[in-house]
Amino acid sequence: MSSFREIHFETIDSTSKYLKNNFNELPDFTIVSADYQTNGKGRNDRQWISDKNTNLLFSLLIKNHEMMQNYASLSLYSAYLIATYLESIGLNKVSIKWPNDVYVNGKKICGILLEGNIPSYLIIGVGLNVNQKEILDELLIHQFTSIYLETGKKVNMKELKENIFKSFIDSLYNKSINNEYIEYANEHNYLKNMEVFVEISGKIEKVKVLKINEDNSLKVVCNGLEENLISGEVSFHV
Ligand code: BTN
């Protein structure tokens, strides 16, 4: 593993926001982590809520231009890194919900939010539910789980953090992204054959999911025609 800088906060508003505000002064591959976020940000302006000292909350700064060109892959690739880590510690029924959520047993365990301003910076924000014992927030629309809830065992956070940071830095620093993750994401495709609602040309359409393409888009069938979706929110109801 090459060296990387970690900045840790007990409490901060959002690890991703910190990087957004300070990317100019910080080196490539800075990781900001926190025990608690007062204003954690999820996709589509949702909040990301997590109890103190319970879950893994971090954001990784990428400023290297070559790696930034991979931005279309980075959401799914990050989900792949988390999913394979969860399998390596013995979790079963791990799947990836395109483009960037990790599910276990049909429940969300990890959310990933990619933000950036290319060509200046990209930030990968990761929230992984680790030792959460109960999911408190009835506002959240997904059914959530955590490593603890799936295994019944409390996880050593320091060890988990080191291993996950290592896997992100090793593969991204060495630019070792190869297309194996697409194959993995298709084998663990949470949405495969599901009928879901997506927005196509400003209209909400019911589509059936076929597969994840090599270019990270999602192949679906809509009104009998195949379409490739570039990104977006997939929902199970209108
Ligand atoms: C999602 O909505 O699924 C994405 C959630 C991403 C949450 C993480 S927690 C660390 C980082 N800081 C934030 O404010 N958000 C991301």
Side-chain angles (χ1 to χ4, degrees):
M1 172 163 60
S2 116
S3 68
F4 66 98
R5 175 155 170 214
E6 185 192 350
I7 305 174
H8 181 78
F9 292 95
E10 274 180 24
T11 301
I12 194 172
D13 51 357
S14 152
T15 54
S16 291
K17 191 166 168 215
Y18 180 87
L19 284 179
K20 233 181 275 172
N21 291 339
N22 297 287
F23 76 91
N24 250 329
E25 296 79 51
L26 294 169
D28 203 7
F29 292 103
T30 299
I31 291 185
V32 176
S33 62
D35 296 333
Y36 183 63
Q37 296 184 127
T38 53
N39 197 13
K41 201 176 154 203
R43 277 167 70 95
N44 292 338
D45 282 332
R46 286 194 287 261
Q47 273 185 295
W48 187 260
I49 293 167
S50 169
D51 285 352
K52 193 166 190 170
N53 284 326
T54 307
N55 301 312
L56 183 66
L57 306 166
F58 76 93
S59 300
L60 167 65
L61 175 68
I62 293 178
K63 298 194 340 178
N64 170 297
H65 288 213
E66 203 182 321
M67 183 46 73
M68 231 178 271
Q69 284 162 14
N70 290 320
Y71 78 95
S73 348
L74 284 176
S75 288
L76 196 62
Y77 188 73
S78 301
Y80 158 79
L81 292 179
I82 297 287
T84 47
Y85 174 75
L86 293 176
E87 286 193 323
S88 79
I89 60 166
L91 269 77
N92 295 315
K93 299 197 181 148
V94 177
S95 58
I96 292 181
K97 179 174 168 244
W98 181 91
N100 52 5
D101 287 335
V102 183
Y103 275 54
V104 173
N105 256 330
K107 287 173 252 166
K108 180 161 166 170
I109 198 163
C110 177
I112 294 161
L113 181 63
L114 198 73
E115 298 173 276
N117 187 355
I118 294 169
S120 304
Y121 67 90
L122 265 183
I123 295 166
I124 305 175
V126 180
L128 171 63
N129 294 335
V130 180
N131 285 320
Q132 190 78 35
K133 291 206 170 78
E134 50 187 359
I135 303 300
L136 302 165
D137 184 28
E138 56 293 333
L139 292 173
L140 291 167
I141 56 169
H142 304 282
Q143 257 203 302
F144 276 75
T145 191
S146 68
I147 301 177
Y148 175 83
L149 287 170
E150 294 302 318
T151 61
K153 288 188 203 125
K154 196 154 186 265
V155 178
N156 178 325
M157 193 69 108
K158 188 167 174 279
E159 204 177 293
L160 171 125
K161 198 170 155 172
E162 277 170 14
N163 287 329
I164 290 187
F165 288 0
K166 183 175 177 332
S167 80
F168 271 76
I169 298 293
D170 275 355
S171 53
L172 297 182
Y173 188 86
N174 297 324
K175 305 177 189 71
S176 64
I177 295 189
N178 64 39
N179 273 6
E180 261 170 43
Y181 76 95
I182 299 276
E183 202 176 308
Y184 178 94
N186 273 308
E187 281 162 8
H188 298 75
N189 184 355
Y190 179 76
L191 296 173
K192 191 169 181 190
N193 294 329
M194 276 193 187
E195 295 207 316
V196 294
F197 291 92
V198 293
E199 195 179 313
I200 299 177
S201 313
K203 242 177 100 190
I204 303 290
E205 301 275 9
K206 189 176 182 184
V207 302
K208 184 173 173 193
V209 175
L210 297 181
K211 63 176 247 191
I212 299 164
N213 298 309
E214 292 284 308
D215 65 357
N216 298 283
S217 61
L218 187 71
K219 193 178 279 302
V220 299
V221 184
C222 177
N223 300 323
L225 294 174
E226 284 189 5
E227 300 259 2
N228 295 315
L229 307 178
I230 287 169
S231 73
E233 187 83 352
V234 172
S235 60
F236 300 97
H237 46 78
V238 223

